[in-house]
Amino acid sequence: MTSSWRNKIYLVLALILLSLYALMPSILGLQSRLEEAEAKGRVLKTWEKTLAWILPQKELNLGLDLRGGIYLELEVSVQEAVSNRLDLIASQTQRYLSSEKIPNVIIERVPKTDRIRALLPNEVALKKLSEYLSKNYSNSLVLQKESNELTYQSEQKDEASLQALVGSLNEKLAPLGALEIERSTGSDTFRVVLPNEAKREEIKQKIASDFKDLKEKNEPGKVVYKPSDAYLNTLHQDSVKQAVETIRNRIDRYGVAEPSIRKLGTNRIAVELPGVSDPARAISIVKQSGKLEFKLVDDSKMTSPQHPRANNEIQDLIAKARVEKKIPEGFSAESVNQINEALKGKISSDSEIAFELQTDPIKKKVVAGTPYVLKRKAEVTGDMLRGAQVSVGNEGPYVSLSFNPIGAKLFGELTAANAQKGFLAIILDGNVMSAPFIKVAIPNGEAQITLGAGDYNTQLQEAENLSLVLREGALPASLKEITKTIIGPSLGKNAIHEGLRAALIAALVVVAFMILYYKASGLIADVVLGVNVLLIMGVLAMFQATLTLPGIAGIALTMAMALDANIIIFERIREEIKSGKPIKIAVNAGFSNALTAVIDTHLTTFLSGIVLYQFGTGPIRGFAVTLMIGVVTTLLTAYWVTHLIYEYWIQKKNPETLSI
């Protein structure tokens, strides 16, 4: 035996041993044993410790269809992320001008648009604003030449008539596309937000004909900014990227093994969570936006005496609005928005309705909602959080919050200014969590979120979920569920069982055919086929690629290609033997003549696999991965290993005939 042959045999044996080494944890169930021991606090046995030290601990990574779990496809509300960012810029700008001691300044995002409006008292304020925005947002905001709103002043002065006018304006102008009718409490000035410039003249004519007591008013101190196209594009991309990272962090803390979180298209995210035992909890953690706000309860006559909830008059208005506007029962974000739209002109324009939800502890469903009238502006927001953790008090588990220095300063100022005066509502994802009375100023920047009714364990799990969501950061925008598939583990076991049974039957048929048709050469092809499958599984285990049902189909296709390659080679050898050539020359000529055809078929299949992997998703990628790995191992085994066996056998036996 030459050193060249010896090296080739050593290399093949090394590949086989390496594949077995990578697959041993899967064969022995090592990872499952270690996780079970850790969960139960069981001390590992000596042989388990030895294997854990010698072998890799990762088993073959099975996909959702084989292991069971959850597949979610979510859409990021990109426009909401843009609105949130512009609200933040407006809030920061307002704080800056306040710190510069400039009074009577209003900086706010125009409702339902991506415009920021500044109402300024004088030229000094305008100069300060321009300097601040140029320094901090020169590449983000541009000055809009035309304001996208109209301003009118009413001749009427009593509050009831002015409130009624808001309702009439909404009724007449909404069909023309007006986005919003704004009026500050106690003011006789109205702002009509336009959908676009093309509607300006049409809406002006409608107001002139139907509202004779309204006079258009010029506001010299008003300037409007809009985000640049480049900034909007960046915001879109960053929002989706941030959502992907936030979900990934939450899932990592949740403890799901081998999750897959990836971006789809421009604003969609696919989430695969294999082996999840509590799908409802996992979905809740993934989808919860985690938007935390602290808002003052409206202290006008709209709230009940000694309690922050809405009084009977407002509750009657809500009930009436549900009937008149056909607003569906329930307290979803869409329903609450519809209620607030219906109550325009009936509550203060700077206020809004939010609900505290009551959940049935057994059915786990929302059964009632207590309305609150809140100031629309958030005083402190969740982006100022420093930490969130679960604590246990006399009344059960709760989530304690701590703010960063800016948040602590704002929270301290807010509670100091309203101590013994009113209530502060804690809003999570648009719902009131609690609304405690502000007894004293809280300068240390710490707050608490108490939880709803339920037993201790339920409250504790709810507190853990909430603290996890808040710790890992809020999502940049809410997520809309597009697709949800829950696959039970029993389905995965059945899939594996049925897949193995089908593969075994197919393998037996193929082995029998090859032996019957090609005799000893067919047996060699069968042995090499087994080596091929072993190498494919070994590569999957080593690189932690995911094996799915389509992946098994890819392996089956690879096996067929391997046999096809062997058949091409054997037929060439037969032709050479029939032409009268000696066995050794016939075998070498057969392999040489078949090489081009074998490479051609495998190369085109490999290129198809690249395309499928690049443009496919989920199961298609799983198929493409096993197909590409299989093409490489098939070339290695069907041509190279088979040829090596023939050369060794001919060298050792020097036969005069060949069983083929």
Side-chain angles (χ1 to χ4, degrees):
M1 181 185 296
T2 65
S3 60
S4 173
W5 284 356
R6 192 180 297 115
N7 292 337
K8 290 178 180 176
I9 291 172
Y10 287 161
L11 178 59
V12 172
L13 291 176
L15 291 175
I16 292 173
L17 291 175
L18 188 61
S19 297
L20 286 172
Y21 174 76
L23 287 171
M24 282 308 290
S26 305
I27 297 170
L28 299 174
L30 184 60
Q31 185 180 354
S32 304
R33 284 178 177 275
L34 297 179
E35 289 176 355
E36 182 186 353
E38 185 180 358
K40 295 181 177 178
R42 177 173 64 83
V43 178
L44 292 176
K45 298 175 183 176
T46 305
W47 67 271
E48 289 175 329
K49 290 181 182 176
T50 306
L51 288 178
W53 182 71
I54 295 174
L55 297 174
Q57 295 184 9
K58 292 285 187 183
E59 295 179 9
L60 188 62
N61 190 20
L62 300 180
L64 281 180
D65 45 6
L66 296 179
R67 191 178 177 185
I70 306 170
Y71 175 81
L72 286 174
E73 202 168 303
L74 306 162
E75 186 174 277
V76 182
S77 301
V78 176
Q79 185 54 47
E80 183 184 323
V82 173
S83 298
N84 291 341
R85 184 64 63 88
L86 294 178
D87 280 337
L88 182 62
I89 292 175
S91 178
Q92 290 173 337
T93 308
Q94 177 88 50
R95 286 196 201 102
Y96 167 75
L97 294 177
S98 298
S99 68
E100 293 292 314
K101 310 295 184 189
I102 298 177
N104 303 322
V105 172
I106 297 176
I107 311 291
E108 58 190 358
R109 181 176 61 83
V110 180
K112 299 182 180 178
T113 71
D114 53 1
R115 303 289 189 269
I116 291 179
R117 173 177 57 209
L119 299 175
L120 307 165
N122 49 46
E123 288 296 325
V124 175
L126 178 60
K127 184 180 179 185
K128 285 285 185 185
L129 174 69
S130 300
E131 289 175 353
Y132 177 78
L133 294 181
S134 298
K135 180 180 178 182
N136 296 281
Y137 302 104
S138 59
N139 297 322
S140 309
L141 297 178
V142 295
L143 187 63
Q144 183 171 302
K145 293 181 180 178
E146 287 285 345
S147 167
N148 63 331
E149 61 186 45
L150 297 167
T151 305
Y152 286 88
Q153 190 168 27
S154 174
E155 295 176 354
Q156 301 181 43
K157 300 301 177 189
D158 63 290
E159 182 65 21
S161 300
L162 291 169
Q163 283 198 10
L165 191 53
V166 174
S168 300
L169 282 166
N170 268 303
E171 185 180 343
K172 296 284 186 181
L173 302 184
L176 300 181
L179 297 178
E180 189 83 11
I181 310 296
E182 289 186 287
R183 171 185 168 256
S184 301
T185 305
S187 168
D188 58 358
T189 301
F190 298 83
R191 293 190 183 85
V192 181
V193 181
L194 305 174
N196 50 57
E197 278 306 305
K199 288 284 184 179
R200 178 181 288 273
E201 286 305 317
E202 186 179 359
I203 290 177
K204 282 179 70 172
Q205 290 176 9
K206 184 68 174 174
I207 294 174
S209 63
D210 292 8
F211 300 92
K212 304 292 185 186
D213 60 333
L214 286 180
K215 303 298 178 191
E216 190 170 357
K217 178 183 176 183
N218 291 322
E219 293 183 302
K222 181 174 68 178
V223 288
V224 176
Y225 289 86
K226 64 178 182 180
S228 64
D229 293 340
Y231 185 56
L232 275 179
N233 187 41
T234 303
L235 276 180
H236 286 193
Q237 294 180 13
D238 289 351
S239 300
V240 179
K241 193 183 298 181
Q242 186 184 345
V244 170
E245 289 306 313
T246 302
I247 292 173
R248 192 186 307 282
N249 290 337
R250 289 181 183 181
I251 293 301
D252 287 346
R253 294 295 182 106
Y254 181 74
V256 177
E258 310 300 340
S260 171
I261 300 121
R262 61 184 185 279
K263 179 183 170 189
L264 289 180
T266 56
N267 61 344
R268 287 194 179 185
I269 299 172
V271 181
E272 292 182 6
L273 306 176
V276 170
S277 58
D278 188 350
R281 186 185 175 203
I283 292 171
S284 171
I285 289 175
V286 169
K287 288 181 60 183
Q288 190 167 2
S289 62
K291 186 178 181 183
L292 182 66
E293 301 167 294
F294 292 80
K295 295 183 177 181
L296 288 171
V297 176
D298 193 324
D299 58 357
S300 68
K301 61 179 182 180
M302 291 184 287
T303 52
S304 302
Q306 307 303 319
H307 198 282
R309 71 164 67 97
N311 60 23
N312 291 336
E313 181 185 348
I314 296 295
Q315 295 192 41
D316 291 342
L317 286 174
I318 294 172
K320 189 177 177 184
R322 281 190 186 274
V323 175
E324 289 180 350
K325 302 292 182 183
K326 298 181 179 178
I327 300 172
E329 293 298 324
F331 307 95
S332 65
E334 185 179 358
S335 296
V336 175
N337 285 336
Q338 289 178 330
I339 290 172
N340 278 302
E341 286 288 327
L343 295 186
K344 277 183 179 175
K346 298 172 183 173
I347 62 175
S348 302
S349 59
D350 60 346
S351 298
E352 64 181 4
I353 300 291
F355 290 86
E356 182 181 12
L357 306 182
Q358 284 84 53
T359 305
D360 187 315
I362 298 174
K363 296 180 179 177
K364 307 290 184 187
K365 291 183 177 178
V366 175
V367 293
T370 303
Y372 287 74
V373 185
L374 308 175
K375 291 295 183 184
R376 192 182 294 272
K377 179 185 176 186
E379 302 291 342
V380 182
T381 55
D383 60 309
M384 301 171 188
L385 271 184
R386 184 179 60 191
Q389 61 182 10
V390 178
S391 303
V392 179
N394 294 332
E395 297 180 356
Y398 62 90
V399 177
S400 58
L401 309 173
S402 58
F403 294 97
N404 61 21
I406 296 175
K409 180 174 180 293
L410 291 176
F411 198 72
E413 292 174 355
L414 174 68
T415 51
N418 294 278
Q420 295 297 325
K421 294 180 182 175
F423 298 88
L424 181 64
I426 302 172
I427 316 295
L428 181 68
D429 294 340
N431 299 318
V432 178
M433 300 300 292
S434 59
F437 184 68
I438 306 172
K439 296 179 181 176
V440 296
I442 306 174
N444 58 358
E446 293 185 353
Q448 297 178 1
I449 298 180
T450 54
L451 302 165
D455 57 38
Y456 179 86
N457 289 331
T458 303
Q459 286 192 347
L460 183 61
Q461 188 177 76
E462 192 179 344
E464 289 174 348
N465 293 348
L466 179 57
S467 64
L468 188 153
V469 168
L470 294 175
R471 265 202 318 273
E472 299 306 329
L475 290 166
S478 58
L479 301 176
K480 182 181 178 184
E481 185 179 297
I482 304 300
T483 302
K484 178 178 72 176
T485 305
I486 299 176
I487 303 167
S490 59
L491 181 61
K493 287 180 182 176
N494 289 338
I496 294 175
H497 177 73
E498 293 300 324
L500 289 176
R501 194 162 71 104
L504 184 61
I505 293 172
L508 288 174
V509 171
V510 168
V511 166
F513 170 78
M514 291 299 289
I515 292 175
L516 288 174
Y517 198 73
Y518 292 108
K519 301 174 184 175
S521 295
L523 182 60
I524 292 173
D526 292 335
V527 172
V528 173
L529 190 65
V531 174
N532 188 10
V533 174
L534 178 65
L535 292 181
I536 292 173
M537 301 299 285
V539 172
L540 287 172
M542 276 186 278
F543 291 97
Q544 281 295 290
T546 302
L547 179 63
T548 61
L549 271 180
I552 293 177
I555 294 175
L557 179 60
T558 302
M559 293 168 65
M561 289 178 60
L563 287 177
D564 189 47
N566 282 129
I567 290 172
I568 292 173
I569 294 168
F570 291 165
E571 290 301 322
R572 296 291 182 274
I573 293 174
R574 277 181 169 180
E575 290 173 1
E576 298 298 332
I577 292 174
K578 285 180 182 176
S579 67
K581 292 180 181 176
I583 295 300
K584 183 177 181 180
I585 295 175
V587 167
N588 288 334
F591 274 95
S592 178
N593 293 337
L595 181 60
T596 304
V598 171
I599 288 181
D600 282 350
T601 56
H602 283 65
L603 183 61
T604 53
T605 306
F606 190 82
L607 292 175
S608 300
I610 292 176
V611 174
L612 287 175
Y613 185 84
Q614 181 66 30
F615 297 102
T617 59
I620 296 177
R621 281 193 161 192
F623 175 81
V625 167
T626 53
L627 185 64
M628 288 189 290
I629 294 173
V631 167
V632 175
T633 56
T634 297
L635 270 178
L636 178 72
T637 54
Y639 186 84
W640 192 61
V641 175
T642 307
H643 196 181
L644 188 64
I645 292 173
Y646 271 112
E647 284 186 324
Y648 179 79
W649 178 66
I650 293 171
Q651 182 71 21
K652 283 290 184 183
K653 302 295 182 180
N654 193 19
E656 294 182 356
T657 60
L658 185 63
S659 177
I660 189 169

